[in-house]
Amino acid sequence: MADTTEPSELHRAVTAAFEALKDPVFRYVAAIVSEDQTARDVTQEAFVRLYEHLLKGHRIAHVQAWIFRVAHNLAIDAVRRDGVTAGHHAAAADERALDVADPSPGAEDLLLSAESRSRLRHALGRLSGQERRCLDLRAEGLTYREIAEVLGIRHTSVAVFLARGLKKLAAVAAEADQRYGAAAAKLS
């Protein structure tokens, strides 16, 4: 972000960054912390820190990567402070991330939706923390280099974690297809 020392110009720049990034940052943080309110607090604090950092005259080359890095660190601090490991509440975080408003689902839709969420939770449960975080950040549109910057790892490691994660997800999908294909064949 350019050097914006005038408060109104700085306020506009941070507001624009907030509007563009608040939802992806919240989703990423919600996958790490145990409570939605904590995720909202961490997201807000990350943008406050962006404002303070820029107000001091510092420059930021890649705002998206910077804000995700700060939010990541704040989320990890919150998990440590609350004494809850990320794995402890992963299922609840997955459920929150998968919740989609549906005005009037039928019984069949509800069953299929629950089954899909269950399969996805199972698949995500097979990923390591780093694989999951890399996939989450990539899904939010970050480049390999930006993901590396956020997580404090090499970009080659990001490629390895993404490849492993995708391979695990593909294996789970193939297993599910085999199981459901066999079940469907029995019904025919």
Side-chain angles (χ1 to χ4, degrees):
M1 210 171 243
D3 185 16
T4 53
T5 53
E6 186 180 324
S8 62
E9 188 179 328
L10 177 61
H11 184 265
R12 280 192 297 276
V14 172
T15 299
F18 178 76
E19 290 302 321
L21 298 171
K22 68 180 177 185
D23 292 336
V25 170
F26 174 80
R27 282 190 301 269
Y28 178 71
V29 170
I32 298 172
V33 302
S34 59
E35 302 276 332
D36 279 349
Q37 185 58 48
T38 303
R40 282 191 288 277
D41 292 346
V42 165
T43 301
Q44 180 178 352
E45 179 63 23
F47 285 97
V48 168
R49 292 200 181 179
L50 173 65
Y51 183 81
E52 291 170 345
H53 189 77
L54 293 172
L55 190 61
K56 291 177 184 175
H58 299 287
R59 290 178 168 255
I60 299 173
H62 304 285
V63 174
Q64 183 180 30
W66 190 94
I67 201 76
F68 270 97
R69 176 67 183 180
V70 171
H72 173 82
N73 290 343
L74 290 168
I76 296 301
D77 290 346
V79 168
R80 287 182 186 140
R81 180 188 63 239
D82 297 342
V84 180
T85 63
H88 178 73
H89 55 73
D94 289 344
E95 190 63 36
R96 286 194 319 270
L98 295 173
D99 277 344
V100 178
D102 189 356
S104 58
E108 185 178 335
D109 291 335
L110 288 173
L111 180 62
L112 290 174
S113 178
E115 185 177 321
S116 295
R117 281 196 306 268
S118 175
R119 288 180 18 195
L120 183 56
R121 268 195 306 279
H122 172 72
L124 292 174
R126 293 176 107 182
L127 300 177
S128 73
Q130 283 290 64
E131 291 164 347
R132 173 73 186 266
R133 285 187 282 276
C134 286
L135 283 169
D136 287 345
L137 290 169
R138 186 69 180 138
E140 294 299 346
L142 274 71
T143 66
Y144 284 29
R145 289 197 188 279
E146 290 170 331
I147 295 168
E149 189 178 320
V150 169
L151 298 177
I153 60 178
R154 295 185 331 233
H155 76 277
T156 54
S157 297
V158 170
V160 169
F161 285 126
L162 286 170
R164 283 184 194 158
L166 291 172
K167 186 176 180 179
K168 287 178 184 178
L169 292 177
V172 170
E175 289 171 12
D177 286 346
Q178 287 175 345
R179 265 196 316 266
Y180 293 112
K186 288 180 183 178
L187 294 174
S188 303

